[in-house]
Amino acid sequence: MDKDDSLSGVVDPEVRAFVYSLVSALGGTGSDEDGRYVLGDDALACLKDLKRWLKLYDEKANRLDVARCLAEANLVNGDLLEILAAWPEEATEDKTKSKIALACLELLVPLTWPIEKNEHHMTVNHHRHIPYLQLAQISYKRGILEHDSSHILRTVVRIGLPSIALPMIERASRDEGIIKLLLYFFRNVALISPPPHLPIEFDASEVSRSATIEAFHYQDVLALLLTIASNMGEDFNTQDVVVMEVLFHLLKGVNIEKLFMDETQLDAKKADELQYLLKKEAGMHRSYAKYAPTRHNRFGTMIWVKRDDARVSTVSGQDVLANSQHTLSKMDQSKKWNKPKQRGKDTERTHNHFDLQVPLSVSANKHLRAFVEEFLDSGFNPLFSHVRRAIEREADRVLDVHSQQFFYLVSWFLEAERVRRRTKSELDRKRKQNMEDLFEPDSFALVASVLNQETFITLNRFMQARLDLKLWQEVNAAVRCFTQILLTVQEMSESPFGDDQEIAENIQNRIFYEETTHDRIIAMLRGYQDQGFSYLDACTELAHVFLRMLERYSKENIDLQVRSKRRARKKKKAANHENENPNQGLEQDSEEEDVAEAHRLSKERKFDFTRFSSKFLTQSCINTFVAFTTYFKDLSAEQLKRAHRFFYRVAFKQEMSVMLFRLDIIALFNKMIKGPEGLDPSNHMFKEWDELTRQLNRRMVKKIQQRPELAVEILFSKINSTVFYLEYGYEKQTITSKPRPPAELEVKGAMTRDEQIGVAVAVLHETKLDAVDWVKHVLSSAINERRSWEAESSARAILDRTEVEHVEETAPEVSSAPSIIVKPDSEERRIAMFKDNKLRLLMALAGFERIGIDDEPDATWIIPSALTSNMLQETHDVIESHRNNPVMTYDDEDPLTAEEMLRRKSTTIARRAEFDDDSDGDGIASNGEEEFLFPAGGPTNRKIDALAELKKKRRKRRVESGDDEGGLDEETLEARRKARQLAELERRRKIKSEEFVHDSDEQEDDERDREFFASEERLRERHAMQVIETLRTRKVDLEAAGGSLKRKKQRNEGMAIASGKKRKVSDPKKGSEDDEPLFASANSSSPAPDNHLDTTDDEATDTPLSSPHTISSQVNSQADPWQRQSPTREVVGSKVSALALDDDDDDGPVIAVGRRRPRAAMLSDSDSE
């Protein structure tokens, strides 16, 4: 196949013919014009036609045929650049030539537009044309930068100067388009770089970054960029993103440390690098020379290595004969593990990658440094504040890649500002030796536009979003930006200006206040998995800087607070019912006040640095730093120091050296120190790594002696339980919390049981219909079982009745049906019986009961014996009918779904604590009643059975006496009820409790104790004298009153007393109370607490429990044991008896009775005290 046939197969011949004809008509060079380019008669029209072909054929059809034809026709170098070079500077006012130059620029921009491979939009034509077009663009850039007769870039600047000179309010859309074309052309020239896998025909230095920077400097492109950037927001608005792109492609990969070095320092740096490489090469030669072949050992050698399992391995080469260590090393090198790799995304480098360093020439380094310094002084704040606002409002001109470029440039310029300040301070410090007070530090106001809260919010949002999407290149840019912000803030805190220190303090407080920032940094460190060395370097540097700054800040601010966020409980709503009734939410506000919607609750807590730093002790974080340390041959001293500090923190500061006791980690550390191919001993960090390795090995040996299990665990990564066991020697005791049951539900409104079952079935009908079918199946089985038992029970009852008819007429006792246990049909059903509150509602409505503690997940559900087979059948039929015809909406006027008909069942309100802020301390409860601090009762409180016996006797006597409440009106009954309430209130007020004795009673005071005991001694002596005197005086009265007491007792029989009960007639067999002594001995033991309720007949007529006299007698009985043992009871008057009624059933006529004369001896001074 000849050349024409191959070309015709690549591009359509008709397209090629049209394009070639237009290129020929555009113009050319002639011998009569001394080799000068001459335009054709219709050159402007030809340029417009070529532009139209590019737009309508290539762009619309997603082809590159026209661009390929123009590259083959050499349009750019042969025509367009010659036309621009032929436009002299003095002919700027020529409209025709200006239009032709602008038409050439309109063609240059699409022809130099960057070409990137996109697997989603690639076609066969793309694969055919892209390699050729990439080489063509390299030739375009070479011609633009190094044209023989003119400065093409300066000519392009002249095209846009008239539009740039106009004020922004006077520019038309055409002027804005010209400026945009101008900037896009500069962007394309800066972006074009030699393809990595394609050969070029000329020297690569002609299109290198240094050549581009020098051309931009000499042809005033850098000055134009600086002018536009410094006036951004005032004279320019939409050009911010394009200027940022030009800066990105000029600065990416530039070493900032070398950029701010002068020629002397740069030469010294290059000499040091060369010397380091020479030493490295010499070391490689030395290690190779030990086992290098000579003319005497060129013969082949193969040896066998015996292993422990009686197997042998073969190793070839005479170098294995040197020593056993080298033999084993060579055998390890021969081992290969072909790890299966999943097919991932295309890892080909794009134009937006920034992790590859680019060397610069001395002149380019000088020009770029001057531009960067001027840009920091005048253009940084206007440009980047304008771009940030455009990114925040998501302007149409902002693409996804622009956010990555923005954060990378922010990090680059912040580092450049720090290096510039450090370089300037070192230079001025040298000059200070001759001139005093020469150096005056500058403020950080030059970079203040990226140190505000808005930038932090944008950065955190971008970082989290790209981290979730796993766009690691963009995360890398954000991480670098955050790291440089932290380092800049650290230098601001050390600034001599008070404003800078205050701003740095506020920034650190804002950054460290959010716990989400802490967690995000830990997540990035843990999530490293082969994202590349650039990302690994960035995330480890951020973790190192953040951890170091946070540790220092937490020491300076002891009361540092952080805000942690947690997810609140969310109420689930059906989305299809939200829009049916928009006014429905207004009516349900009162019911939804206590239900939290989906939002994040914030909570402040005191920051604990030890707790935070322990989060870095996970195996994944350690693996990330181990992966970083494996590049120790290529790491700088600063990077080696970063890894060393992390491992030192883990092993010695946190005392978790067990996490580093892993075979691959120990082998890596030993290889770094002892080789082979280890760390250079002349490295500044060699001694520190040597000490770390030695101390770690010592601890490992000691720990193996303590825990022999470590000899096995050294092969594996450590989980938390393993670490705890190896550290302390026993398993960690963990307490598992029981799952909480769901909130109980109930149906709103007054519905019948069948309707409530219908609501429960409708709720389960949509998503959990199998649960309804399972309940039906359980009911069917229960019906059959219950019917069988009922039939058997009936037959047994008939048989038993016939057998006992001839013995006695009593009916046989029928036993109750056994309960039926509800068994789940699967494990999911068992879990649903505990966690699904809707299923539990249906089971409860069906009559099922839950046995055991409600919080127990394995509690048993039963069908109780009270439910007959007919009742179960009725429930089954109701569920079946609602299952077949579920009712989904209720209430015709205001329709509610079945889900909305449910609500949480109200629970008992807990008693309010004494320290509740709502209580006013007045002892009055919220419902208007008095709130008592302790319950009523005590040793004199009667038991429930005794109280029931008293009420029973009281009702019996009322029936016998014919008393009833028929003669009392409602007012009297209401008055008695109120009197009882007042009496009960008065009784509870007098109760004392030993639980509320103050701690001050336990304090020792000798003087006070002596006074107290002396007073008590005098009181006892006086009381004893009074008792003796009373016994002497009352002895005669008791003998004379013996007969009168019997007559008085007979006279009082049958009369109603204060409690409404009738006094019983004394049993003559048991004797009377006259036969007992009136006073017991002081040494006699007290009777049992229940004896006064059931000893004699008179005690049955005791005062009711609610009587105030009872309470006073109880208190006095504790003070005087004699009166407590007295069998006589004093009866209160009619007024007090009216207040002593217990309940409405005890209301009856009150009859006054005689009252015993009070004894003076019993009211001693001790009682009053």
Side-chain angles (χ1 to χ4, degrees), residues 101 275 421 496 569 730 879 1026 1132:
Q275 185 178 6
R421 294 172 66 88
R569 297 184 65 183
Y730 59 89
I879 295 177
Q1026 291 178 356
V1132 299

Side-chain angles (χ1 to χ4, degrees), residues 908-933:
T908 304
I909 301 177
R911 180 189 177 104
R912 184 167 52 194
E914 295 179 12
F915 51 86
D916 196 343
D917 296 335
D918 296 338
S919 61
D920 298 329
D922 53 358
I924 304 299
S926 58
N927 57 359
E929 297 180 358
E930 185 169 359
E931 184 177 5
F932 294 92
L933 298 178

Side-chain angles (χ1 to χ4, degrees), residues 500-515:
D500 289 344
Q501 295 179 6
E502 184 179 356
I503 293 173
E505 180 72 19
N506 294 334
I507 292 175
Q508 291 184 83
N509 191 14
R510 290 177 179 178
I511 293 177
F512 299 144
Y513 178 66
E514 297 291 341
E515 193 178 27

Side-chain angles (χ1 to χ4, degrees), residues 808-850:
E808 56 182 355
E809 297 298 331
T810 58
E813 296 182 358
V814 180
S815 60
S816 60
S819 300
I820 301 174
I821 299 177
V822 179
K823 298 181 179 180
D825 56 350
S826 62
E827 181 66 20
E828 292 78 8
R829 190 79 62 207
R830 185 189 67 81
I831 298 174
M833 290 171 63
F834 177 73
K835 292 187 176 182
D836 192 351
N837 51 4
K838 299 180 180 63
L839 176 60
R840 290 164 65 114
L841 175 63
L842 179 60
M843 295 172 66
L845 292 175
F848 298 1
E849 293 182 359
R850 186 178 175 89

Side-chain angles (χ1 to χ4, degrees), residues 699-711 714:
R699 287 199 173 192
M700 184 182 64
V701 173
K702 185 176 180 181
K703 181 63 69 174
I704 290 178
Q705 294 175 355
Q706 295 177 356
R707 309 275 187 271
E709 299 85 356
L710 182 59
I714 199 174

Side-chain angles (χ1 to χ4, degrees), residues 922-982:
D922 53 358
I924 304 299
S926 58
N927 57 359
E929 297 180 358
E930 185 169 359
E931 184 177 5
F932 294 92
L933 298 178
F934 43 84
T940 60
N941 192 14
R942 287 157 175 78
K943 293 186 179 180
I944 297 179
D945 54 352
L947 181 61
E949 185 68 22
L950 289 175
K951 290 184 177 180
K952 182 177 179 181
K953 293 179 180 180
R954 187 182 303 154
R955 295 190 185 97
K956 182 176 179 180
R957 291 186 177 183
R958 184 182 302 141
V959 173
E960 292 177 357
S961 62
D963 297 337
D964 58 303
E965 299 178 358
L968 298 179
D969 54 358
E970 292 295 333
E971 296 180 356
T972 305
L973 296 177
E974 184 67 22
R976 291 180 176 180
R977 279 192 293 269
K978 291 183 180 180
R980 285 196 302 273
Q981 294 177 359
L982 292 175

